[in-house]
């Protein structure tokens, strides 16, 4: 399995990308990684690592899409960017997946233009895998579509269900609609209509509405929402986790007994930090495309890049794309 | 100052309400509390407490609005409910504020019907006060309006700003729009339009967009969002805090050294729990009404009820309602 990796995506690029690629090969997560970006910089950096040269190669790209760039404009004007070249390698069949820690909006636009939507898919979406108290959960859309209608949400439900099914090899995952209450009559106009579509669908195992308080509890497998709510919710989770740890640190430093206690409890804190740490998961899949595009957090470190490669490889081998394409083609 | 208190609102009613009323009088948060609900039950329960009978009275109501009741239907069919009678006492001038820990939707409907909207206010909203790392924050709408347009959000911004200004006696609070990114071009159709309205308004101190990750950081004073997003976000915060403590407990119980550590750090945990605890704040204001309606969490205990009474009394004395009414009348 060959992975095309945008080596100039993350905030700290290209170091996390290069180290992540070396780690991925070391752990045999894929057969080959193609690093895409400024050849001079990449070969100089790569030469510092010990690796199998048959398994890591470099493809040159002269431009870079920045986090602040407009997604639509940058994919038109930066045709020789590392991100566009990365996706092109996948499109041309020289790589089986495309991975980037760059601008998510640009990655979606670039993937849409280059790979195209699956037939009958109205809107591709971004699907993330997140830890729960007891396992994992797929949440989509986490940011691609800020204005959705009920039909879009219904399609997200099918794509999220198939993602969970193939990725975790678990048939008939429970699919829930994120809403303001559990009863079917709750919600805004779009969520009320989506509820009915999902309840009537034979293609998903619909478990009804879910509220914000149950998002990380693990009572469902797939959570469907529009990209506006999904984005606000996930960033809120990130912020709350951070705030709790900040207050914890501040209070602990005020009191030496509490400090001693915290030292003794250290394994517990590091367990929770690991649970909340995006680098442990670090890869969201763009679903509904004719191909496999995985985006990683802009603040990715080498471990996050390695994990994004792991996710991309696992999806490629899972049959998710083929099955989903067949489903939508038959609609 | 006289408080009308729905004594059959909370899940555990009427005990938290009665005890909360006794505590409020003991701490002199208001001059008088009128408990509204089944007279027999209330007088039997109240007789167990030591209190000044001149300051706590009972007004009979034969019905009760349940949490599962439809808001619209229950205010029509349960005219002699404790909630409807509570608001009526305020409307008739026998109380200066109305407080309930019952069904929030019903409280909004009942307040709308009985007290009425302020002139030129399109949609009343629910405004909550929340703790941040460094102080407090007003967030609205947290659940009344699940479908909003830009004009609604603009009005929420003005009402939230005035709430913060009068409640905390702090002029020109910073007002932010909850969105998926900080740039003005980010967001869905409604939030983009709202951004422009808010940026052009001379009536608020607009600080731009804010993302979910900054919600509890304290970088702004007032956060504006629609009731769908606000509800999902707040319930998510509640859920994440709960999940972190659950994992903490579980992990600590697995390891006796960590357990000893946790005992030593106990004051820190209880500080954070207190910060996250809704009973410490326990009261959201319905803004845009001709009157003062405060709703408390359904799971309120006596302390939460007492704090809701404190908030209601403080609002009544702040001049918030009068100032806001004047502002909208002049529009």
């Amino acid at each position: 399995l060959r992975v095309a990796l945008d080596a100039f995506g993350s905030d700290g690029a290209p170091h996390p990308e290069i180290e992540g690629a070396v780690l991925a090969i070391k752990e045999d997560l894929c057969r080959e990684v193609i690093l895409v970006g400024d050849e001079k910089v990449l070969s100089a950096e790569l030469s510092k690592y010990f690796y199998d040269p048959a398994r890591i190669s470099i493809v040159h790209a002269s431009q870079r899409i920045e986090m602040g760039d407009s997604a639509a404009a940058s994919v038109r004007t930066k045709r020789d960017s590392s991100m566009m070249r990365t996706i092109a390698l996948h499109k041309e069949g020289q790589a089986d997946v495309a991975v980037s820690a760059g601008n998510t909006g640009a990655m979606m636009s670039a993937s849409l233009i280059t790979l195209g939507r699956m037939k009958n898919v109205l809107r591709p979406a971004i699907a993330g895998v997140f830890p729960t108290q007891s396992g994992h959960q797929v949440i989509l859309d986490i940011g691609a579509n800020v204005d959705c209608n009920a039909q879009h949400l219904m399609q997200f439900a099918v794509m999220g269900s198939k993602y969970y099914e193939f990725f975790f090899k678990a048939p008939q995952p429970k699919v829930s609609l994120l809403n303001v209450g559990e009863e079917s009559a709750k919600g805004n106009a779009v969520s009320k209509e989506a509820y009915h579509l999902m309840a009537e669908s034979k293609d998903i195992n619909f478990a009804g509405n879910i509220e914000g308080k149950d998002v990380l509890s693990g009572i469902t497998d797939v959570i469907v929402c529009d990209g506006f709510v999904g984005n606000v919710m996930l960033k809120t989770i990130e912020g709350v986790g951070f705030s709790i740890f900040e207050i914890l640190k501040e209070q602990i430093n005020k009191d030496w007994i509490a400090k001693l206690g915290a030292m003794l409890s250290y394994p517990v804190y590091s367990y929770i930090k690991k649970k909340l740490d995006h680098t442990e998961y670090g890869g969201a899949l763009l679903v509904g495309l004719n191909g496999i595009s995985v985006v990683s957090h802009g603040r990715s470190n080498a471990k996050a890049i390695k994990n994004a490669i792991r996710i991309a490889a696992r999806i490629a081998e899972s049959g998710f794309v083929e099955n989903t394409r067949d489903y939508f083609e038959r609609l």
Side-chain angles (χ1 to χ4, degrees), chain A:
Chain A
L1 198 137
R2 300 153 304 161
V3 174
L5 175 63
D6 173 4
F8 286 84
S10 77
D11 298 346
H15 307 283
E17 282 83 353
I18 292 172
E19 201 184 325
V22 171
L23 285 172
I25 292 299
K26 209 179 204 170
E27 296 182 20
D28 211 22
L29 302 178
C30 60
R31 205 194 54 195
E32 198 185 327
V33 176
I34 308 165
L35 290 165
V36 185
D38 188 308
E39 196 166 14
K40 268 190 193 161
V41 176
L42 289 177
S43 51
E45 284 297 322
L46 191 55
S47 68
K48 296 175 187 165
Y49 292 87
F50 181 77
Y51 67 97
D52 179 350
R55 296 177 71 181
I56 301 185
S57 56
I58 295 170
V59 164
H60 182 67
S62 65
Q63 293 171 303
R64 178 181 180 171
I65 294 178
E66 307 285 344
M67 286 296 175
D69 284 353
S70 144
S74 58
V75 300
R76 275 197 316 272
T77 58
K78 294 187 173 174
R79 302 224 171 229
D80 196 35
S81 59
S82 55
M83 186 186 283
M84 289 293 278
R85 291 281 169 221
T86 298
I87 298 165
L89 285 174
H90 176 28
K91 171 71 179 176
E92 293 155 9
Q94 294 174 59
D96 302 294
V97 299
V99 175
S100 175
N103 182 321
T104 306
M107 187 69 173
M108 178 56 100
S109 298
S111 300
L112 255 172
I113 289 175
T114 310
L115 305 171
R117 266 183 302 136
M118 282 178 186
K119 191 181 164 190
N120 294 326
V121 165
L122 300 167
R123 298 271 191 95
I126 305 174
V129 173
F130 298 91
T132 65
Q133 280 179 56
S134 52
H136 290 90
Q137 197 163 54
V138 169
I139 306 181
L140 77 169
D141 176 21
I142 58 173
N145 307 285
V146 291
D147 286 294
C148 290
N149 65 32
Q151 193 61 49
H152 299 148
L153 296 180
M154 179 66 232
Q155 289 201 344
F156 298 167
V158 171
M159 295 191 284
S161 175
K162 290 186 179 292
Y163 184 14
Y164 192 96
E165 181 184 341
F166 283 85
F167 196 74
F168 294 110
K169 312 232 175 299
Q172 297 211 291
K174 283 194 270 183
V175 180
S176 300
L177 177 65
L178 186 63
N179 208 331
V180 298
E182 285 174 15
E183 307 83 356
S184 64
K186 290 276 183 173
N188 54 21
V190 171
S191 66
K192 283 180 195 169
E193 196 190 333
Y195 184 98
H196 287 294
L197 291 177
M198 289 167 76
E200 281 160 19
S201 170
K202 284 170 184 140
D203 302 324
I204 57 167
N205 175 16
F206 186 49
N209 288 327
I210 190 173
E211 296 183 71
K213 68 183 165 61
D214 292 318
V215 163
L216 296 184
S217 70
I219 62 171
T220 194
D221 301 316
V222 180
I223 296 179
V224 175
C225 56
D226 75 38
F228 191 94
V229 174
N231 177 291
V232 168
M233 185 177 73
L234 288 177
K235 287 184 180 163
T236 301
I237 292 172
E238 201 181 322
V240 173
F242 181 80
S243 289
I244 290 179
F245 276 96
E246 281 302 295
I247 297 173
L248 208 63
K249 255 195 284 181
E250 196 187 296
Q251 293 298 313
I252 281 172
N253 284 326
K254 280 186 182 164
D255 172 354
W256 72 267
I257 298 181
K259 208 165 181 172
L260 174 66
M263 284 163 70
L264 296 175
S265 311
Y266 182 76
V268 172
Y269 294 128
S270 71
Y271 176 87
I272 293 178
K273 270 211 137 157
K274 204 174 156 177
K275 269 244 168 197
L276 290 171
D277 184 2
H278 69 87
T279 64
E280 294 292 325
Y281 307 94
L285 175 67
L286 308 188
V287 296
L289 298 169
N290 282 316
I292 298 169
S293 272
V294 168
V295 282
S296 189
H297 205 295
R299 292 200 308 274
S300 287
N301 57 17
K303 191 168 70 174
I305 298 288
K306 182 196 77 181
N307 283 330
I309 291 173
R310 185 205 308 273
I311 286 175
R314 199 163 148 188
I315 293 162
E317 285 158 354
S318 75
F320 162 75
V321 171
E322 297 74 9
N323 182 286
T324 307
R325 185 157 43 205
D326 286 353
Y327 170 87
F328 280 103
E329 266 175 10
R330 278 199 302 267
L331 277 191

